[in-house]
Each structure stands twice: as C-alpha cells, then as structure tokens.
Amino acid sequence: MTEERDIGLPARRAAIDIVSSALTRRSGLDEALSRPGFRNLDPRDRGFAMALAMATLRRLGPIELALDARLAKPPPEAVRNILRIGVAQAFLMDTPAFAAVTTSVDLAASHSSTRAFKGLVNGVLRGLLRDPPKLDEPETLCPPWLYARWVAAYGAEAAHAMAALIADEPATDLTPKTVPDAEALAQALDAEILSGPTLRTARKGDVAAWPAYGEGRWWVQDASAAIPARLLEAGPGMSALDLCAAPGGKTLQLAAAGAEVVALDRSAARLKRVGENLARMGLTAETVAGDAGEWDDARAFDAVLLDAPCSATGTYRRHPDVLWAARPGDVAALAAVQSRLLDSAAGRVKPGGRLVYCVCSLEPEEGEAQIAAFLSRRGGFAIEPVGPGEAGAPQISLRADGTLRLLPHHRPGGQDGFYVARLKRES
C-alpha cells in the first residue's frame, strides 16, 4: 500500500510547489511549471498536479476559512500547503477521502520540516470529513479587500456574480484567422460560435493536438481579449503598432486583417513567442524588444494599441492566482506606469488615427480613471464611441461614454474582465 501511495506523491509535491509559488509572487505559477519537479512527471501525473493546484487556487478563500476554524494557531506554510491540497482532494477532486488523508499524512512525513505535524494533518482533514465545509459561497472566493472594491465599483449584485465565476474552470476561446473559416472550425473543434467571431470549446488537453492548429487557422484568445484589436479597424494599407504585444494574440489579429504591424514588448523572451506564433499562422510583423514608454522611433501609425501592464484581476477565470498575488498598493503603482505609457502611445498616432487603450483589470483606477485623466491633460484626442454590438462586445458592457467595461459575468459562460477605450486623434 505504501508503494502505491508513493507513486502519487511526486505529483502532489508538484501541486504544492505550484500553489506555493503562485501565492508567493506574480508569475510564480509559470515559474513552477518550468521546474523539473513538474516537467519530469509523466503526462498523466502532470495533468493531476495541475488540476489539483488549480482546484486549490480556485477555492482558496473558503479552504482557508475551513482550515482556520480547525487550527488553534497557524502552522508553518509548508504544512498549510499540505492541508490546502488535502482539502481540495477530499472535496473538489475524484480522490477517495481515505486517499486524500493518507497521501497528505505521507507528504508531511516525507520531510523533516513537516514530519512533526503529520498528526495535525491527519486530525484536521479527518475532522473536515466528518463536518464538510462550504466551499462555494461567492463572497469567500476572493480576498475580502478585493471583493469590497468590486462591490464599491459595480454594486453588490455584480460583485456576487463576478465572484461566483472564480470557482468554475472556463472553456477555451479561440480566434479564427479568417472570419469565413469560423463555421468549419466550429464543427471541427466542437465549438460554439460567439459574437466577434470567437470560438468557444470545452475541449481539454494539449491545444497543439487539436484540429487545424498545425495549419495555423486559429489561436487561443479570450473573447474579451479579442475585442480591442477589432476596434482599431486596421486593414490593408494601414500601419499598426501593438505596444506591450506579448503573447501576441492582438498582433496576430492586426496582421491577419492585412495591416503592416510593428509588435513591441520589453521582454525579448516573450517576444520570441510572438514570432513563433506569427510563423505558425503564416503572418508577418516587425518585432521590436523595448520599453513602450521610451522606444526611440519617430514613426507614427494609423492605429496604435496599448494593452497596458495592469493588476490583471480580470483574468482570474484562467489565472485564479492573480487574486491572491495582488496587493492593495499594486493598483496605484501600476496606474502610474499606465499613465506614462498612454502618453507615449498617444505621441505615436498619426493625425486622424486611432488609439485603443485596454487593461485586463477590474479596477477603475486602471481603466475609466486613466482615460478621464488622459483626456483632461492632453488635447487633440476624443473618445470614439463603440457602437452597440461592435467588435463582438456584449451590449451590457457598453458604457454611456462609449467605452467598454467588460465584466466577467457579462457573457454566458464568462469572459475575462477588461476596460477598453477607443480614441481618435484630430486630423
């Protein structure tokens, strides 16, 4: 029996590493996925480790409350992580209850720093099995400070609906390279066609093995993330600049529309991924590594897209770790960066050209407040209102001033949270 359990311990250790890294720092989850402890697992164990880590992160709020109710004092973080994945296995996965407890105790016993706590792990998990906790109350699914901000910004009903989506694993959204191909791709991928068009599929597994991937007929892109580039209406004979371009979905959209595209990003490594995606899709764009606020290039463009660095709280459906990595002070710090980049982007727009500003953040300081401040300090630009249903945006997301506040619950099945504003420069 011990030998059987040992087979599953490396996958569980990898899950703990993912959870711990995700909660320690931004981008920690991606770093954990690149470590040998995860990469060297066989595909089945990798899938289990990832599913366990994500289940833990999606319900981390109520898991913490359940553990706090049974712990007289906080245990070391390593022990708490064992308890976290133990609860997730017992109540959110198909793992039998006895296996969830036994493997958690084995994990504690396997390292000198946690060995003394194996009795605690056993007692806490068995106690929770006798009196199962509630793990699905929306108000507990994200940090209290963040939930309070959502209530203040959008009202209690919207905040509740947004938080309820945290627990759900989302479907995968795809953007077709050409609009006429959407129907054929939908059939091949068992996908639903959303406005835009965007394809939404419940398929799981390695996307590179899905139909038409190798042919370069689609790429992964959330329905909300596909809207900003469409609003530029860039096409043949037009020049377009995609600032902060990586991972490249918006660059692909602009290139597929026929524009001459420059894709700029400060990360050369992430820009390499943009180049790989362009090659797979049979598209071309000039890629430049540099800071969007300091790029020394005198060219002006018909269309400029700034998807600015932000708190990324709107991406929690796919990245629940962002909710727990975010700190209250982050919003103000990032808002200063966004303001600088927005001014730089504006200077690169030709007279009569368009500038689209967007952030995958749910925080008004990073969206609505940025555009209000920009228009008050800089002349020559005005909001070009988004029309009803334009670019595939849900009608409910259209604000009175013609900008978009795309909230996660505005589309059946969910979508990333975004703020999007389209600006026109005077001729």
Side-chain angles (χ1 to χ4, degrees):
M1 186 68 176
T2 301
E3 185 177 293
E4 265 185 13
R5 293 200 302 270
D6 285 348
I7 293 173
L9 293 189
R12 289 167 170 83
R13 288 193 190 98
I16 286 175
D17 186 44
I18 293 170
V19 170
S20 175
S21 298
L23 298 180
T24 302
R25 60 193 174 280
R26 283 189 173 275
S27 76
L29 190 150
D30 290 337
E31 291 175 20
L33 298 183
S34 68
R35 293 184 191 129
F38 179 77
R39 288 192 295 106
N40 292 345
L41 294 172
D42 65 45
R44 182 177 178 182
D45 280 357
R46 275 202 306 273
F48 175 81
M50 190 63 180
L52 177 54
M54 295 303 285
T56 304
L57 291 169
R58 291 188 195 287
R59 308 288 183 109
L60 185 64
I63 287 174
E64 297 291 75
L65 291 174
L67 292 177
D68 287 342
R70 292 199 167 264
L71 292 166
K73 61 180 182 179
E77 189 69 4
V79 175
R80 194 172 191 96
N81 280 329
I82 292 172
L83 288 168
R84 285 165 172 159
I85 70 158
V87 174
Q89 287 178 89
F91 298 105
L92 304 175
M93 308 276 287
D94 293 330
T95 307
F98 76 89
V101 175
T102 307
T103 54
S104 297
V105 172
D106 286 351
L107 281 169
S110 69
H111 197 278
S112 59
S113 66
T114 55
R115 194 168 296 139
F117 295 89
K118 62 182 184 178
L120 175 72
V121 170
N122 183 66
V124 169
L125 293 180
R126 290 191 182 280
L128 289 172
L129 287 171
R130 288 192 299 270
D131 184 16
K134 292 183 178 180
L135 300 178
D136 57 359
E137 295 182 345
E139 294 87 347
T140 69
L141 288 169
C142 76
W145 72 270
L146 202 49
Y147 190 82
R149 286 180 62 90
W150 295 354
V151 171
Y154 308 114
E157 184 177 351
H160 187 276
M162 288 157 59
L165 289 170
I166 297 170
D168 298 336
E169 182 180 359
T172 300
D173 291 350
L174 315 171
T175 296
K177 181 179 177 181
T178 64
V179 172
D181 198 25
E183 189 169 338
L185 287 173
Q187 293 179 2
L189 293 158
D190 305 313
E192 172 190 5
I193 301 179
L194 308 181
S195 56
T198 285
L199 307 176
R200 175 163 289 181
T201 179
R203 279 178 175 262
K204 305 294 180 188
D206 182 7
V207 297
W210 293 1
Y213 177 89
E215 301 166 33
R217 291 166 58 190
W218 55 263
W219 58 88
V220 176
Q221 187 176 35
D222 187 82
S224 288
I227 291 170
R230 295 188 191 124
L231 291 174
L232 282 171
E233 298 181 358
M238 296 178 65
S239 59
L241 173 62
D242 184 7
L243 296 166
C244 310
K250 298 174 182 66
T251 293
L252 294 176
Q253 286 179 278
L254 295 169
E260 295 182 10
V261 185
V262 175
L264 183 140
D265 198 273
R266 67 183 306 169
S267 169
R270 282 166 56 84
L271 204 59
K272 181 180 177 182
R273 184 178 170 191
V274 176
E276 292 169 351
N277 286 331
L278 285 164
R280 179 176 68 86
M281 300 303 302
L283 298 169
T284 59
E286 178 186 347
T287 57
V288 181
D291 186 312
E294 300 176 1
W295 184 39
D296 185 16
D297 193 300
R299 284 178 290 179
F301 298 82
D302 299 302
V304 175
L305 174 59
L306 174 59
D307 186 354
C310 67
S311 62
T313 50
T315 67
Y316 64 74
R317 292 164 56 249
R318 299 175 206 288
H319 306 287
D321 53 300
V322 301
L323 300 175
W324 303 98
R327 299 290 180 267
D330 293 348
V331 175
L334 286 162
V337 174
Q338 292 149 9
S339 177
R340 177 176 68 90
L341 295 182
L342 190 49
D343 284 338
S344 177
R348 305 181 191 280
V349 182
K350 287 182 179 179
R354 289 190 175 100
L355 167 63
V356 165
Y357 171 82
C358 64
V359 283
C360 55
S361 166
L362 294 167
E363 315 318 309
E365 296 95 324
E366 300 182 78
E368 293 88 340
Q370 281 293 345
I371 292 302
F374 171 78
L375 293 174
S376 70
R377 71 175 177 264
R378 181 163 187 141
F381 282 86
I383 291 174
E384 184 177 30
V386 177
E390 187 179 355
Q395 178 69 30
I396 193 174
S397 301
L398 185 59
R399 288 167 37 88
D401 65 356
T403 64
L404 293 171
R405 172 47 80 181
L406 298 147
L407 295 179
H409 67 293
H410 280 175
R411 190 186 298 270
Q415 63 181 3
D416 281 356
F418 261 83
Y419 174 79
V420 189
R422 179 172 59 189
L423 307 172
K424 184 91 168 181
R425 184 171 188 175
E426 293 178 357
S427 298

